[in-house]
Amino acid sequence: MRNWKWALLLLIPAVELFGFIWVSEQIGAGYTLLLILVTSIIGMAMMQFEGRKVLQDTRNEMQNGLVPGRKMLDGLCVFLGGSLLIIPGFVTDIIGFTLVFPLTRPIYRLFLLKWIEKKMKDGKITFYKRF
């Protein structure tokens, strides 16, 4: 299991470096740096806006006596997407934008739900009920 983590740790920076080189050959180094800066700023603004929206929706559901399960997963997606947007790189920016953007977020939510369900079946996630 640890081998794939090491592979990702080496593969992601290599892909990002290749992306930097390819894009700077296409549009120039200065524009590439500007593009990275602009995508990071736009991503952080989207993260703040979507994060506030998710928090407000969560509060509304809790005040109405509902469990905000889907909204909590949306919040997790926004947090992960924002974290990826802060990291400079084109691949992480694309994944980050799709995590933060509300129309593509349900795709990731499906994968998260399946992953949580599997962990619960395996007994790796335990819920404790307070009285």
Side-chain angles (χ1 to χ4, degrees), residues 106-130:
I107 297 167
Y108 292 102
R109 192 173 46 229
L110 272 173
F111 287 113
L112 277 172
L113 283 172
K114 288 181 181 181
W115 179 77
I116 290 171
E117 183 180 334
K118 182 179 181 274
K119 292 290 183 183
M120 287 174 63
K121 283 182 180 178
D122 293 343
K124 295 184 178 182
I125 295 179
T126 308
F127 290 96
Y128 297 100
K129 192 173 188 180
R130 282 191 189 173

Side-chain angles (χ1 to χ4, degrees), residues 55-104:
L55 282 175
Q56 185 62 39
D57 291 345
T58 302
R59 284 189 196 120
N60 289 341
E61 285 190 8
M62 290 175 70
Q63 287 175 350
N64 292 331
L66 301 171
V67 177
R70 193 185 110 227
K71 296 297 178 187
M72 297 298 281
L73 288 176
D74 283 348
L76 181 63
C77 288
V78 169
F79 175 74
L80 291 173
S83 300
L84 287 174
L85 287 169
I86 292 171
I87 299 170
F90 294 110
V91 176
T92 54
D93 281 351
I94 291 169
I95 296 169
F97 275 121
T98 58
L99 276 164
V100 173
F101 194 62
L103 295 177
T104 54

Side-chain angles (χ1 to χ4, degrees), residues 11-88:
L11 184 66
I12 291 173
V15 169
E16 294 291 1
L17 181 62
F18 175 75
F20 281 130
I21 293 169
W22 185 81
V23 171
S24 54
E25 285 177 354
Q26 302 300 317
I27 64 173
Y31 288 122
T32 302
L33 292 174
L34 183 64
L35 184 62
I36 291 292
L37 182 66
V38 168
T39 57
S40 293
I41 291 170
I42 291 171
M44 286 189 282
M46 279 182 68
M47 183 180 79
Q48 287 180 343
F49 176 76
E50 288 298 321
R52 285 189 190 121
K53 186 176 173 221
V54 166
L55 282 175
Q56 185 62 39
D57 291 345
T58 302
R59 284 189 196 120
N60 289 341
E61 285 190 8
M62 290 175 70
Q63 287 175 350
N64 292 331
L66 301 171
V67 177
R70 193 185 110 227
K71 296 297 178 187
M72 297 298 281
L73 288 176
D74 283 348
L76 181 63
C77 288
V78 169
F79 175 74
L80 291 173
S83 300
L84 287 174
L85 287 169
I86 292 171
I87 299 170

